[in-house]
Amino acid sequence: MAQALHMGDELHNRNRAATSLLFRLLAPAVIRTASSAESAAQALEFLHGNDHFFLNLSMAAAKATLDAARDARRSSIVVAMARNGVDFGIQLAGLGQTWFTGPAPVPDALFFPGYGKQDANPDIGDSAITETCGLGGFALAAAPAIVQLVGGAASDALRYTRQMYEITAGENPAYRIPALDFRGAPTGIDVRKVMERNLFPVIDTGVAHKKPGIGQVGAGILRAPAKPFRDALAGLARALPEPSGDPKETA
Amino acid sequence: MAQALHMGDELHNRNRAATSLLFRLLAPAVIRTASSAESAAQALEFLHGNDHFFLNLSMAAAKATLDAARDARRSSIVVAMARNGVDFGIQLAGLGQTWFTGPAPVPDALFFPGYGKQDANPDIGDSAITETCGLGGFALAAAPAIVQLVGGAASDALRYTRQMYEITAGENPAYRIPALDFRGAPTGIDVRKVMERNLFPVIDTGVAHKKPGIGQVGAGILRAPAKPFRDALAGLARALPEPSGDPKETA
């Protein structure tokens, strides 16, 4: 994944490099273990046919990374963002399994030919776990070519990533962005910074048709909605012990 | 090659994406035609083991492209740049097989551990045909991660490509650079612009040890030397017919 960020992927909506690198690693093992040459060739053709193949792995890697941060006492860091087509929900490291939710927005997107915003379902899917881990919309600066898929200019990609440093706690020492002189990807969304700056996570996402069975009809950039973050910050404040300081200081 | 420019390659010193894309295309055919599964696996492992594999193809593609421009009457466009470790030579589209040469410079480079500029041979190799075709140093803006290999900052990569627009005749409609909002790579070095601006082609190159058998000891950025371009422009002037205009205009 670190290499793929040097090769134009952001590992949410663009996974061509990571899929290619994985293909190179798997091919000899597939050949040596397949029941026949033809089945090996077909398995690799399947993998070759989908540049998004690696998304399955980048989501899992992001989830595993963030789960390691769960149950950090009093922590205001977001460990999950997910959407189910109706609600957008987040969880904080310091608040266990509690979900804070709000209505999922309908993405502004570049729609595939024949489709438009009237066809779009509200934001849906688990893939925003990549943004939660500093990839996807947070790493757009690594993937300027993605604007052909999601809209905007290459300078927008840089701008979005630079913004995300304002709402995150750290920079990933492994996931580095060449165009920002190898600065680490902005990582660890801090709900306090989000609300203080009124600046919400950037998600670059696929758009599903609102009718089941049709599938993806576009791709675009959207902002996470405010309500889950506002509620999560309030929930964190309620969970903290009462201040026990000098009354003069709290007056 | 167009895809690889969207994936961080400049197709001279960085070919990881193009090698990966080629690997994906070749693998099923290798599997179906190899004499055994083991020989297919070993062939693909050989390809996987060298991220520069595609350089052999990008050089050939550049050479074929430029040869199509040869013998354009009176043309000042450079159709070949090459170095043999002693001399640096260029050919113009309008001057047939004539080489214009000058001493090859010794590259300033990032040297591999244990080596330094005292070990470096003067610039050597056919690979500057990629720069002649708008790739390599001319397309550095597509490959910000390459500065880890050749030195400098990501902003230098942008700067070098922007400079090369000043000495080229056109922009490649297929080879586009995402970070420059998909502007075509600067293509067709015009010896008149080179001498008018005193601005010489940027080449990002491997550095060979001056003793045979040791091989590559570094990589870096260098400028083509002035003499071949100065001589080529003079050669072009000599080859043009005498002006036959009104004496008043030439007075």
Side-chain angles (χ1 to χ4, degrees):
Chain A
M1 291 166 66
Q3 289 180 40
L5 288 171
H6 291 196
M7 297 171 68
D9 283 1
E10 40 66 271
L11 295 154
H12 180 173
N13 252 312
R14 194 170 161 97
N15 289 281
R16 174 174 279 174
T19 298
S20 301
L21 294 172
L22 181 70
F23 186 107
R24 286 170 58 172
L25 283 169
L26 291 183
V30 168
I31 294 168
R32 290 195 173 103
T33 56
S35 56
S36 71
E38 186 55 29
S39 69
Q42 287 183 13
L44 291 173
E45 280 170 341
F46 172 80
L47 209 163
H48 174 61
N50 181 4
D51 275 325
H52 284 298
F53 184 89
F54 196 87
L55 175 59
N56 303 291
L57 284 80
S58 66
M59 287 194 292
K63 179 69 175 162
T65 302
L66 290 158
D67 276 357
R70 282 183 181 270
D71 302 322
R73 194 158 160 260
R74 300 182 184 178
S75 171
S76 56
I77 300 299
V78 178
V79 290
M81 297 194 291
R83 314 89 92 205
N84 63 7
V86 178
D87 292 321
F88 187 112
I90 71 171
Q91 293 181 313
L92 297 190
L95 291 177
Q97 296 298 316
T98 309
W99 284 101
F100 299 94
T101 63
V106 177
D108 270 317
L110 286 186
F111 288 95
F112 300 162
Y115 298 103
K117 192 161 184 175
Q118 73 283 358
D119 302 305
N121 198 75
D123 196 24
I124 188 167
D126 300 324
S127 58
I129 198 74
T130 57
E131 275 82 9
T132 322
C133 195
L135 303 167
F138 285 54
L140 276 174
I146 205 172
V147 300
Q148 289 188 318
L149 178 69
V150 298
S155 55
D156 295 328
L158 289 168
R159 188 170 49 78
Y160 283 129
T161 292
R162 288 205 179 101
Q163 257 188 6
M164 294 300 99
Y165 288 108
E166 295 186 38
I167 61 169
T168 44
E171 302 179 10
N172 192 309
Y175 298 159
R176 295 182 177 277
I177 299 173
L180 299 178
D181 281 321
F182 302 95
R183 190 171 178 185
T187 305
I189 302 165
D190 187 332
V191 73
R192 296 172 305 168
K193 293 183 177 178
V194 169
M195 294 314 301
E196 190 176 282
R197 289 169 174 70
N198 200 37
L199 190 61
F200 295 90
V202 170
I203 298 170
D204 73 277
T205 192
V207 182
H209 199 285
K210 60 188 175 188
K211 288 186 193 155
I214 298 179
Q216 189 175 357
V217 294
I221 303 275
L222 83 164
R223 293 279 182 177
K227 181 172 179 296
F229 294 87
R230 194 167 53 231
D231 290 356
L233 184 60
L236 190 69
R238 283 193 305 274
L240 293 180
E242 290 291 319
S244 59
D246 183 340
K248 278 181 289 188
E249 283 186 71
T250 56
Chain B
M1 288 169 66
Q3 289 181 39
L5 288 172
H6 291 195
M7 297 170 69
D9 282 0
E10 42 65 271
L11 295 154
H12 180 173
N13 252 310
R14 194 172 162 98
N15 289 281
R16 175 174 279 175
T19 299
S20 302
L21 294 171
L22 181 71
F23 186 107
R24 287 171 57 172
L25 284 168
L26 291 182
V30 168
I31 295 167
R32 290 194 173 102
T33 55
S35 56
S36 71
E38 185 55 28
S39 68
Q42 287 181 12
L44 291 173
E45 280 170 341
F46 172 80
L47 210 163
H48 173 61
N50 181 5
D51 276 324
H52 285 298
F53 185 89
F54 195 87
L55 175 59
N56 304 291
L57 285 80
S58 67
M59 288 194 293
K63 178 70 176 163
T65 302
L66 291 158
D67 276 357
R70 281 182 182 272
D71 302 323
R73 192 157 160 261
R74 299 184 184 178
S75 171
S76 56
I77 300 298
V78 177
V79 290
M81 298 195 290
R83 314 87 93 203
N84 64 6
V86 178
D87 291 323
F88 187 113
I90 71 170
Q91 293 181 312
L92 296 190
L95 291 177
Q97 296 299 317
T98 310
W99 284 102
F100 298 94
T101 62
V106 177
D108 270 318
L110 287 186
F111 288 95
F112 300 161
Y115 298 104
K117 193 161 182 175
Q118 73 283 358
D119 301 307
N121 198 75
D123 197 24
I124 187 166
D126 298 324
S127 59
I129 197 72
T130 58
E131 275 81 9
T132 321
C133 195
L135 303 169
F138 284 54
L140 275 176
I146 205 172
V147 301
Q148 289 188 319
L149 177 69
V150 299
S155 56
D156 294 328
L158 291 167
R159 188 169 50 77
Y160 283 129
T161 292
R162 289 205 179 100
Q163 258 189 7
M164 294 301 97
Y165 288 108
E166 294 186 40
I167 60 169
T168 44
E171 302 180 10
N172 193 307
Y175 298 159
R176 293 182 179 277
I177 300 175
L180 299 178
D181 281 321
F182 302 95
R183 189 171 177 185
T187 304
I189 301 166
D190 187 333
V191 72
R192 296 172 305 168
K193 293 183 177 179
V194 169
M195 294 314 301
E196 191 176 284
R197 288 170 176 69
N198 199 36
L199 190 61
F200 296 90
V202 170
I203 299 170
D204 73 276
T205 191
V207 183
H209 198 286
K210 60 187 174 188
K211 289 188 191 152
I214 298 180
Q216 190 175 356
V217 295
I221 305 276
L222 84 164
R223 293 279 183 178
K227 182 172 178 296
F229 294 87
R230 194 167 54 231
D231 291 356
L233 184 61
L236 191 69
R238 284 194 304 272
L240 294 179
E242 290 291 319
S244 60
D246 181 342
K248 280 183 287 191
E249 282 186 73
T250 56

